[in-house]
Amino acid sequence: MTSLLDLLSRARPSPAVELHLQDLSPPPGLDIEPEKEEEEVTGVLPDGFGFSLDVFGKLVTLDLSGNALTRLPDSFGLGMPKLRVLHLGGWVPARRRFRNRLTTLPGSFRALISLQDLTLHDNNLTSLPTDAFGLMPDLHEVRLDRNPGLVKLPPLPLKLQVLHLEGCA
């Protein structure tokens, strides 16, 4: 079986690359029985996802919404210096049982220095690293809505224009 990292490493990306992975089919081997349709599943990104400059260095948009993610790899973001838009929103209406359920972000998240638009709504975030947004001078929109356990925010960038917090503690 070919992994996502293998496919991406063989691609010859254009100067700006967008990657939308929210419509992935269920993982191979997952049998969805009608009576079990409402059970939540768990998705996992490979440990090296987001680390390689060769693979991710030109990426400007990454959409990982609705992939049943419960955590991000420790190296997430280290190889994405041009990423401007990141969607990690919890759910997509047609894929409700595949909703993301992130509880925190890895420390490497702050390496996303070009980020402008960040979507983290409808997860299970309870905390964010104290310097999560510290190296993101152009971040102007953050959606954290409907993370009921989120009670404290790290310092926010000066250029932030839109902040969604409805449904947070």
Side-chain angles (χ1 to χ4, degrees), residues 111-122:
L112 298 170
I113 58 174
S114 299
L115 207 58
Q116 297 173 2
D117 184 354
L118 174 62
T119 303
L120 287 161
H121 64 81
D122 296 291

